[in-house]
Amino acid sequence: MADIPVTRAAGDAGAVGSAGAAGRSRGLSATLVLALGTFAVGTDAFVVAGFLPAMAGSLGVSESAAGQSVTVFAAAYAVLSPVLATACARVPRRALLVGALLVLAAANLASALAPNYAVLLAGRVLAAAGAAAFTPGAGAVAAALAPPERRARALAVVVGGLTMATALGVPLGTLVERAVDWRTALGLVAALCAVCAAGVHAAMPPLPGAAPVPLRARLRALRRPGVLAVLPLTALGMGAGYTVYAYTVPLLANAGVGGAGVTWMLCLYGAGAVAGNLAAGTATDRWGAVRVLAAGYALMAAGLGVLALAAAAGPRALPLTAAAVVAWGAGSWCQTPPQQHRLISAAPGETALVVGLNASAIYTGIGFGTLLGGLLLPLGTASAAAAGAVLALAAGAWLAGTRRYR
Protein backbone atom coordinates (compact mmCIF):
# COMPACT_ATOMS: atom_id res chain seq x y z
CA MET A 1 0.00 0.00 0.00
CA ALA A 2 2.80 2.39 0.81
CA ASP A 3 5.03 3.82 -1.88
CA ILE A 4 7.29 5.67 0.58
CA PRO A 5 10.48 3.70 1.33
CA VAL A 6 10.10 1.65 4.49
CA THR A 7 13.45 2.78 5.86
CA ARG A 8 12.35 6.38 5.85
CA ALA A 9 9.06 5.47 7.50
CA ALA A 10 10.93 3.58 10.20
CA GLY A 11 13.17 6.55 10.89
CA ASP A 12 10.20 8.85 11.18
CA ALA A 13 8.50 6.37 13.46
CA GLY A 14 11.47 6.42 15.83
CA ALA A 15 11.41 10.20 15.97
CA VAL A 16 7.70 10.27 16.67
CA GLY A 17 7.89 7.47 19.23
CA SER A 18 10.50 9.36 21.26
CA ALA A 19 8.12 12.26 21.75
CA GLY A 20 6.44 10.42 24.63
CA ALA A 21 2.81 9.91 25.53
CA ALA A 22 1.66 13.14 23.90
CA GLY A 23 3.28 12.13 20.63
CA ARG A 24 1.72 8.66 20.79
CA SER A 25 -1.69 10.16 21.46
CA ARG A 26 -1.37 12.49 18.49
CA GLY A 27 -0.16 9.62 16.34
CA LEU A 28 -3.25 7.60 17.30
CA SER A 29 -5.54 10.51 16.48
CA ALA A 30 -3.85 10.99 13.12
CA THR A 31 -4.14 7.26 12.37
CA LEU A 32 -7.87 7.30 13.07
CA VAL A 33 -8.32 10.36 10.86
CA LEU A 34 -6.33 8.67 8.10
CA ALA A 35 -8.61 5.63 8.42
CA LEU A 36 -11.59 7.93 7.99
CA GLY A 37 -9.84 9.34 4.93
CA THR A 38 -9.38 5.90 3.37
CA PHE A 39 -13.04 5.22 4.14
CA ALA A 40 -13.96 8.39 2.24
CA VAL A 41 -11.73 7.37 -0.68
CA GLY A 42 -13.22 3.88 -0.80
CA THR A 43 -16.77 5.18 -0.51
CA ASP A 44 -16.09 7.51 -3.42
CA ALA A 45 -14.91 4.55 -5.51
CA PHE A 46 -17.71 2.13 -4.61
CA VAL A 47 -20.80 4.21 -3.83
CA VAL A 48 -21.71 4.81 -7.49
CA ALA A 49 -22.96 1.25 -7.95
CA GLY A 50 -25.66 1.86 -5.34
CA PHE A 51 -27.47 4.52 -7.38
CA LEU A 52 -26.43 3.57 -10.90
CA PRO A 53 -29.97 3.30 -12.39
CA ALA A 54 -30.98 6.73 -11.04
CA MET A 55 -27.75 8.31 -12.31
CA ALA A 56 -28.24 6.82 -15.77
CA GLY A 57 -31.81 8.11 -15.97
CA SER A 58 -30.86 11.59 -14.77
CA LEU A 59 -28.04 11.98 -17.29
CA GLY A 60 -29.97 10.42 -20.14
CA VAL A 61 -27.55 7.54 -20.74
CA SER A 62 -27.82 3.77 -20.50
CA GLU A 63 -26.94 1.88 -17.33
CA SER A 64 -24.03 0.39 -19.25
CA ALA A 65 -22.64 3.85 -20.05
CA ALA A 66 -23.17 5.08 -16.48
CA GLY A 67 -21.27 2.06 -15.19
CA GLN A 68 -18.28 3.05 -17.29
CA SER A 69 -17.72 5.90 -14.83
CA VAL A 70 -16.33 3.16 -12.56
CA THR A 71 -14.08 2.00 -15.42
CA VAL A 72 -12.80 5.54 -15.97
CA PHE A 73 -12.06 5.98 -12.25
CA ALA A 74 -10.22 2.64 -12.02
CA ALA A 75 -8.20 3.16 -15.20
CA ALA A 76 -7.17 6.67 -14.16
CA TYR A 77 -6.14 5.42 -10.71
CA ALA A 78 -4.05 2.59 -12.19
CA VAL A 79 -2.18 5.00 -14.48
CA LEU A 80 -1.84 7.93 -12.09
CA SER A 81 -0.78 6.06 -8.94
CA PRO A 82 2.89 5.46 -9.90
CA VAL A 83 3.12 8.78 -11.73
CA LEU A 84 1.86 10.83 -8.77
CA ALA A 85 3.99 8.84 -6.31
CA THR A 86 7.05 9.91 -8.31
CA ALA A 87 5.96 13.50 -8.94
CA CYS A 88 4.87 14.18 -5.34
CA ALA A 89 7.65 12.36 -3.49
CA ARG A 90 9.24 15.52 -2.05
CA VAL A 91 5.96 17.13 -0.98
CA PRO A 92 5.57 17.21 2.84
CA ARG A 93 3.23 14.41 3.84
CA ARG A 94 0.58 16.50 5.58
CA ALA A 95 0.31 18.91 2.66
CA LEU A 96 0.09 15.99 0.22
CA LEU A 97 -2.68 14.18 2.11
CA VAL A 98 -4.71 17.33 2.79
CA GLY A 99 -4.36 18.41 -0.83
CA ALA A 100 -5.41 14.97 -2.10
CA LEU A 101 -8.55 14.99 0.06
CA LEU A 102 -9.45 18.50 -1.11
CA VAL A 103 -9.06 17.34 -4.72
CA LEU A 104 -11.41 14.45 -3.92
CA ALA A 105 -13.91 16.85 -2.37
CA ALA A 106 -13.81 19.12 -5.43
CA ALA A 107 -14.11 16.14 -7.79
CA ASN A 108 -17.17 14.77 -6.02
CA LEU A 109 -18.78 18.18 -5.94
CA ALA A 110 -18.17 18.52 -9.69
CA SER A 111 -19.67 15.06 -10.25
CA ALA A 112 -22.69 15.93 -8.11
CA LEU A 113 -23.33 19.08 -10.15
CA ALA A 114 -22.49 17.47 -13.51
CA PRO A 115 -24.97 18.72 -16.15
CA ASN A 116 -24.03 15.91 -18.53
CA TYR A 117 -22.18 12.63 -18.85
CA ALA A 118 -18.91 14.18 -20.10
CA VAL A 119 -18.57 16.40 -17.03
CA LEU A 120 -19.31 13.41 -14.80
CA LEU A 121 -16.46 11.43 -16.39
CA ALA A 122 -14.09 14.38 -15.98
CA GLY A 123 -15.03 14.49 -12.30
CA ARG A 124 -14.27 10.78 -11.94
CA VAL A 125 -10.80 11.24 -13.45
CA LEU A 126 -10.11 14.07 -10.99
CA ALA A 127 -11.38 11.90 -8.12
CA ALA A 128 -9.03 9.11 -9.19
CA ALA A 129 -6.11 11.53 -9.06
CA GLY A 130 -6.98 12.48 -5.49
CA ALA A 131 -7.42 8.84 -4.46
CA ALA A 132 -4.15 7.80 -6.13
CA ALA A 133 -2.29 10.53 -4.23
CA PHE A 134 -3.93 9.83 -0.85
CA THR A 135 -4.18 6.05 -0.44
CA PRO A 136 -0.49 5.01 -0.75
CA GLY A 137 0.71 7.89 1.43
CA ALA A 138 -1.84 7.26 4.18
CA GLY A 139 -0.45 3.81 4.95
CA ALA A 140 3.15 5.00 4.98
CA VAL A 141 2.33 7.93 7.26
CA ALA A 142 0.43 5.66 9.66
CA ALA A 143 3.54 3.48 9.90
CA ALA A 144 5.73 6.56 10.43
CA LEU A 145 3.58 7.89 13.28
CA ALA A 146 3.27 4.60 15.18
CA PRO A 147 5.97 3.15 17.44
CA PRO A 148 7.51 -0.04 16.02
CA GLU A 149 5.52 -2.37 18.26
CA ARG A 150 2.22 -0.82 17.08
CA ARG A 151 3.02 -0.25 13.43
CA ALA A 152 1.16 -3.30 12.09
CA ARG A 153 -1.95 -2.34 14.03
CA ALA A 154 -1.78 1.22 12.72
CA LEU A 155 -1.62 -0.09 9.15
CA ALA A 156 -4.53 -2.45 9.86
CA VAL A 157 -6.63 0.49 11.12
CA VAL A 158 -5.92 2.57 8.00
CA VAL A 159 -6.58 -0.34 5.64
CA GLY A 160 -9.70 -1.09 7.68
CA GLY A 161 -11.19 2.19 6.49
CA LEU A 162 -10.94 0.99 2.90
CA THR A 163 -12.33 -2.42 3.82
CA MET A 164 -15.33 -0.84 5.54
CA ALA A 165 -15.93 1.31 2.49
CA THR A 166 -15.95 -1.86 0.38
CA ALA A 167 -18.55 -3.37 2.69
CA LEU A 168 -20.74 -0.30 3.09
CA GLY A 169 -20.19 1.79 -0.06
CA VAL A 170 -22.88 0.27 -2.28
CA PRO A 171 -25.49 -0.16 0.51
CA LEU A 172 -24.88 3.43 1.61
CA GLY A 173 -25.33 4.62 -1.96
CA THR A 174 -28.63 2.76 -2.22
CA LEU A 175 -29.95 4.06 1.12
CA VAL A 176 -28.92 7.68 0.53
CA GLU A 177 -30.31 7.65 -3.02
CA ARG A 178 -33.66 6.47 -1.66
CA ALA A 179 -33.68 9.20 0.99
CA VAL A 180 -32.56 12.01 -1.33
CA ASP A 181 -30.95 11.53 -4.77
CA TRP A 182 -27.64 10.51 -6.29
CA ARG A 183 -26.39 14.10 -6.60
CA THR A 184 -26.90 14.66 -2.88
CA ALA A 185 -25.12 11.36 -2.16
CA LEU A 186 -22.03 12.53 -4.05
CA GLY A 187 -22.31 15.91 -2.33
CA LEU A 188 -22.20 14.13 1.03
CA VAL A 189 -19.08 12.22 -0.06
CA ALA A 190 -17.53 15.58 -1.01
CA ALA A 191 -18.38 16.94 2.44
CA LEU A 192 -16.87 13.87 4.11
CA CYS A 193 -13.64 14.37 2.15
CA ALA A 194 -13.48 18.03 3.21
CA VAL A 195 -14.03 17.09 6.87
CA CYS A 196 -11.26 14.49 6.60
CA ALA A 197 -8.93 17.07 5.09
CA ALA A 198 -9.54 19.38 8.05
CA GLY A 199 -9.01 16.48 10.45
CA VAL A 200 -5.72 15.44 8.85
CA HIS A 201 -4.46 19.02 8.99
CA ALA A 202 -5.37 19.31 12.68
CA ALA A 203 -4.26 15.87 13.91
CA MET A 204 -1.22 15.04 11.82
CA PRO A 205 2.21 16.41 12.76
CA PRO A 206 4.48 17.70 9.99
CA LEU A 207 6.46 15.00 8.21
CA PRO A 208 8.90 15.63 5.38
CA GLY A 209 8.65 14.08 1.94
CA ALA A 210 10.96 11.35 0.75
CA ALA A 211 13.66 11.11 -1.85
CA PRO A 212 11.93 10.54 -5.18
CA VAL A 213 12.07 7.07 -6.71
CA PRO A 214 12.18 7.45 -10.52
CA LEU A 215 9.28 5.90 -12.39
CA ARG A 216 11.76 3.71 -14.25
CA ALA A 217 12.99 2.32 -10.93
CA ARG A 218 9.41 1.70 -9.80
CA LEU A 219 8.87 -0.48 -12.86
CA ARG A 220 12.13 -2.40 -12.61
CA ALA A 221 10.47 -5.16 -10.58
CA LEU A 222 8.67 -6.15 -13.78
CA ARG A 223 11.97 -7.57 -15.01
CA ARG A 224 11.72 -10.39 -12.50
CA PRO A 225 10.16 -13.54 -14.01
CA GLY A 226 8.19 -14.26 -10.84
CA VAL A 227 6.60 -10.81 -10.79
CA LEU A 228 5.76 -11.04 -14.50
CA ALA A 229 4.09 -14.40 -13.92
CA VAL A 230 2.15 -13.46 -10.78
CA LEU A 231 1.11 -9.81 -11.31
CA PRO A 232 -1.35 -10.37 -14.23
CA LEU A 233 -3.35 -12.68 -11.95
CA THR A 234 -4.26 -9.68 -9.78
CA ALA A 235 -5.85 -7.92 -12.75
CA LEU A 236 -7.56 -11.08 -13.99
CA GLY A 237 -8.98 -12.01 -10.60
CA MET A 238 -10.22 -8.50 -9.80
CA GLY A 239 -11.66 -8.25 -13.31
CA ALA A 240 -13.71 -11.38 -12.60
CA GLY A 241 -15.09 -9.95 -9.38
CA TYR A 242 -16.02 -6.62 -10.97
CA THR A 243 -17.80 -7.66 -14.16
CA VAL A 244 -21.16 -6.98 -12.51
CA TYR A 245 -20.19 -4.98 -9.42
CA ALA A 246 -21.30 -1.66 -10.90
CA TYR A 247 -24.48 -3.34 -12.15
CA THR A 248 -25.37 -5.11 -8.90
CA VAL A 249 -28.76 -3.41 -8.53
CA PRO A 250 -30.10 -4.44 -11.98
CA LEU A 251 -28.54 -7.91 -11.54
CA LEU A 252 -30.40 -8.44 -8.28
CA ALA A 253 -33.61 -7.09 -9.83
CA ASN A 254 -33.37 -9.71 -12.57
CA ALA A 255 -32.76 -12.35 -9.92
CA GLY A 256 -36.06 -11.44 -8.26
CA VAL A 257 -34.70 -9.22 -5.50
CA GLY A 258 -36.29 -5.81 -5.11
CA GLY A 259 -37.07 -3.08 -2.60
CA ALA A 260 -35.39 -3.40 0.78
CA GLY A 261 -34.06 -6.81 -0.24
CA VAL A 262 -31.50 -5.11 -2.49
CA THR A 263 -29.98 -3.26 0.44
CA TRP A 264 -29.78 -6.44 2.50
CA MET A 265 -28.13 -8.30 -0.36
CA LEU A 266 -25.58 -5.53 -0.76
CA CYS A 267 -24.83 -5.70 2.95
CA LEU A 268 -24.29 -9.45 2.59
CA TYR A 269 -21.82 -8.79 -0.23
CA GLY A 270 -19.95 -6.39 2.05
CA ALA A 271 -19.97 -8.88 4.93
CA GLY A 272 -18.56 -11.54 2.61
CA ALA A 273 -15.89 -9.13 1.38
CA VAL A 274 -14.76 -8.25 4.91
CA ALA A 275 -14.80 -11.88 6.06
CA GLY A 276 -12.90 -13.05 2.98
CA ASN A 277 -10.27 -10.35 3.35
CA LEU A 278 -9.72 -11.01 7.04
CA ALA A 279 -9.68 -14.80 6.72
CA ALA A 280 -7.30 -14.76 3.75
CA GLY A 281 -4.37 -13.39 5.74
CA THR A 282 -4.52 -16.06 8.42
CA ALA A 283 -5.27 -18.80 5.90
CA THR A 284 -2.30 -17.78 3.74
CA ASP A 285 0.06 -18.10 6.70
CA ARG A 286 -1.36 -21.52 7.52
CA TRP A 287 -1.99 -23.15 4.13
CA GLY A 288 -0.09 -21.02 1.64
CA ALA A 289 -1.09 -18.40 -0.92
CA VAL A 290 -1.78 -20.81 -3.80
CA ARG A 291 -4.36 -22.85 -1.89
CA VAL A 292 -6.13 -19.75 -0.60
CA LEU A 293 -6.29 -18.23 -4.09
CA ALA A 294 -7.54 -21.49 -5.61
CA ALA A 295 -10.34 -21.65 -3.04
CA GLY A 296 -11.16 -17.97 -3.59
CA TYR A 297 -11.45 -18.29 -7.37
CA ALA A 298 -13.61 -21.40 -7.04
CA LEU A 299 -15.87 -19.61 -4.55
CA MET A 300 -16.16 -16.57 -6.81
CA ALA A 301 -16.92 -18.67 -9.89
CA ALA A 302 -19.62 -20.56 -8.00
CA GLY A 303 -21.22 -17.39 -6.64
CA LEU A 304 -21.26 -15.59 -9.97
CA GLY A 305 -22.45 -18.72 -11.75
CA VAL A 306 -25.44 -19.05 -9.42
CA LEU A 307 -26.24 -15.35 -9.84
CA ALA A 308 -26.07 -15.73 -13.62
CA LEU A 309 -28.56 -18.60 -13.48
CA ALA A 310 -30.81 -16.68 -11.09
CA ALA A 311 -30.78 -13.59 -13.32
CA ALA A 312 -31.52 -15.68 -16.42
CA ALA A 313 -34.35 -17.73 -14.90
CA GLY A 314 -35.67 -15.08 -12.51
CA PRO A 315 -36.39 -17.45 -9.58
CA ARG A 316 -37.12 -16.15 -6.13
CA ALA A 317 -34.90 -18.57 -4.23
CA LEU A 318 -33.63 -15.77 -1.99
CA PRO A 319 -31.56 -17.96 0.39
CA LEU A 320 -29.59 -19.37 -2.56
CA THR A 321 -29.15 -15.89 -4.05
CA ALA A 322 -27.99 -14.57 -0.67
CA ALA A 323 -25.41 -17.37 -0.36
CA ALA A 324 -24.18 -16.64 -3.88
CA VAL A 325 -23.77 -12.94 -3.06
CA VAL A 326 -21.73 -13.75 0.06
CA ALA A 327 -19.55 -16.17 -1.93
CA TRP A 328 -19.01 -13.55 -4.63
CA GLY A 329 -17.92 -10.92 -2.09
CA ALA A 330 -15.65 -13.30 -0.17
CA GLY A 331 -14.04 -14.71 -3.31
CA SER A 332 -13.45 -11.25 -4.77
CA TRP A 333 -11.80 -9.77 -1.70
CA CYS A 334 -9.78 -12.73 -0.42
CA GLN A 335 -7.31 -12.24 -3.29
CA THR A 336 -5.21 -9.31 -2.11
CA PRO A 337 -3.35 -10.79 0.93
CA PRO A 338 -2.15 -13.98 -0.82
CA GLN A 339 -1.33 -12.15 -4.05
CA GLN A 340 0.78 -9.58 -2.22
CA HIS A 341 2.46 -12.42 -0.35
CA ARG A 342 3.40 -14.11 -3.62
CA LEU A 343 4.68 -10.87 -5.16
CA ILE A 344 6.79 -9.97 -2.15
CA SER A 345 8.25 -13.49 -2.18
CA ALA A 346 9.04 -13.09 -5.89
CA ALA A 347 10.88 -9.79 -5.28
CA PRO A 348 11.79 -9.67 -1.57
CA GLY A 349 14.12 -6.72 -1.94
CA GLU A 350 11.56 -4.53 -3.67
CA THR A 351 8.53 -4.78 -1.41
CA ALA A 352 7.34 -1.18 -1.77
CA LEU A 353 7.63 -1.34 -5.55
CA VAL A 354 5.70 -4.59 -6.02
CA VAL A 355 2.98 -3.52 -3.57
CA GLY A 356 2.55 -0.33 -5.59
CA LEU A 357 2.43 -2.31 -8.83
CA ASN A 358 -0.16 -4.62 -7.27
CA ALA A 359 -2.35 -1.63 -6.37
CA SER A 360 -2.24 -0.48 -9.99
CA ALA A 361 -3.06 -4.02 -11.14
CA ILE A 362 -6.06 -4.10 -8.79
CA TYR A 363 -7.55 -0.99 -10.36
CA THR A 364 -6.63 -2.21 -13.84
CA GLY A 365 -8.69 -5.31 -13.12
CA ILE A 366 -11.57 -3.26 -11.74
CA GLY A 367 -11.58 -1.12 -14.87
CA PHE A 368 -11.34 -4.12 -17.19
CA GLY A 369 -14.10 -6.03 -15.40
CA THR A 370 -16.47 -3.06 -15.36
CA LEU A 371 -15.78 -2.35 -19.04
CA LEU A 372 -16.49 -5.96 -19.99
CA GLY A 373 -19.65 -6.04 -17.89
CA GLY A 374 -20.88 -2.83 -19.50
CA LEU A 375 -20.28 -4.20 -22.98
CA LEU A 376 -22.25 -7.35 -22.13
CA LEU A 377 -25.05 -5.59 -20.25
CA PRO A 378 -27.23 -5.09 -23.37
CA LEU A 379 -27.30 -8.91 -23.59
CA GLY A 380 -28.54 -9.09 -20.01
CA THR A 381 -27.02 -9.08 -16.54
CA ALA A 382 -26.91 -12.87 -16.66
CA SER A 383 -24.37 -12.69 -19.50
CA ALA A 384 -22.18 -10.29 -17.53
CA ALA A 385 -22.30 -12.48 -14.40
CA ALA A 386 -21.51 -15.57 -16.48
CA ALA A 387 -18.50 -13.77 -17.97
CA GLY A 388 -17.29 -13.05 -14.44
CA ALA A 389 -17.58 -16.73 -13.56
CA VAL A 390 -15.58 -17.66 -16.67
CA LEU A 391 -12.88 -15.13 -15.78
CA ALA A 392 -12.69 -16.57 -12.25
CA LEU A 393 -12.12 -20.02 -13.73
CA ALA A 394 -9.49 -18.54 -16.07
CA ALA A 395 -7.79 -17.02 -13.01
CA GLY A 396 -7.72 -20.47 -11.44
CA ALA A 397 -6.10 -21.86 -14.58
CA TRP A 398 -3.49 -19.05 -14.57
CA LEU A 399 -2.80 -19.81 -10.92
CA ALA A 400 -2.26 -23.49 -11.72
CA GLY A 401 0.24 -22.53 -14.42
CA THR A 402 2.22 -20.23 -12.12
CA ARG A 403 1.90 -22.12 -8.84
CA ARG A 404 5.68 -22.72 -8.67
CA TYR A 405 6.10 -19.00 -7.91
CA ARG A 406 5.16 -19.29 -4.23
Side-chain angles (χ1 to χ4, degrees):
M1 181 174 179
D3 280 338
I4 299 175
V6 176
T7 53
R8 178 61 176 269
D12 288 335
V16 174
S18 65
R24 288 193 296 271
S25 176
R26 191 176 186 187
L28 175 61
S29 299
T31 299
L32 294 175
V33 171
L34 290 172
L36 184 60
T38 57
F39 175 79
V41 170
T43 301
D44 175 53
F46 302 126
V47 74
V48 172
F51 47 71
L52 185 70
M55 175 189 286
S58 176
L59 295 175
V61 298
S62 67
E63 291 182 358
S64 175
Q68 297 311 310
S69 63
V70 179
T71 302
V72 168
F73 179 97
Y77 186 107
V79 172
L80 291 173
S81 182
V83 174
L84 290 176
T86 301
C88 301
R90 294 189 184 277
V91 178
R93 300 297 91 181
R94 183 169 65 182
L96 175 64
L97 297 180
V98 170
L101 287 170
L102 291 177
V103 168
L104 267 171
N108 278 282
L109 186 59
S111 298
L113 299 175
N116 53 53
Y117 184 60
V119 175
L120 175 72
L121 292 184
R124 301 317 295 154
V125 171
L126 186 62
F134 180 85
T135 306
V141 167
L145 293 175
E149 69 275 10
R150 299 182 182 178
R151 194 168 297 148
R153 279 175 284 180
L155 284 169
V157 169
V158 173
V159 175
L162 192 60
T163 304
M164 288 302 297
T166 304
L168 299 177
V170 182
L172 281 176
T174 303
L175 290 173
V176 173
E177 189 272 332
R178 288 183 178 180
V180 279
D181 58 27
W182 69 271
R183 295 183 184 275
T184 304
L186 287 178
L188 291 173
V189 175
L192 176 60
C193 292
V195 169
C196 290
V200 169
H201 186 271
M204 182 179 157
L207 285 176
V213 179
L215 185 59
R216 185 175 181 180
R218 291 179 181 276
L219 299 178
R220 72 187 176 200
L222 291 174
R223 300 174 185 172
R224 292 179 176 265
V227 174
L228 277 175
V230 172
L231 189 62
L233 186 59
T234 296
L236 184 58
M238 293 304 294
Y242 271 80
T243 49
V244 287
Y245 182 87
Y247 314 106
T248 306
V249 175
L251 172 68
L252 291 174
N254 291 335
V257 181
V262 173
T263 303
W264 284 109
M265 289 291 181
L266 295 174
C267 289
L268 286 176
Y269 173 91
V274 172
N277 186 263
L278 292 176
T282 301
T284 297
D285 289 336
R286 183 169 182 178
W287 292 301
V290 172
R291 290 183 179 180
V292 174
L293 285 168
Y297 295 140
L299 193 63
M300 193 193 327
L304 287 171
V306 169
L307 288 173
L309 291 174
R316 295 186 178 272
L318 294 185
L320 182 60
T321 302
V325 167
V326 173
W328 172 30
S332 297
W333 283 94
C334 76
Q335 304 176 61
T336 302
Q339 266 296 94
Q340 289 195 162
H341 186 277
R342 295 182 79 205
L343 285 167
I344 291 170
S345 298
E350 298 173 301
T351 297
L353 300 183
V354 295
V355 170
L357 288 172
N358 195 52
S360 291
I362 287 172
Y363 279 90
T364 299
I366 291 173
F368 165 69
T370 308
L371 176 62
L372 178 62
L375 292 175
L376 293 174
L377 198 62
L379 302 177
T381 54
S383 298
V390 171
L391 285 179
L393 293 175
W398 188 292
L399 174 68
T402 61
R403 62 183 300 119
R404 66 190 180 94
Y405 297 103
R406 296 176 182 270

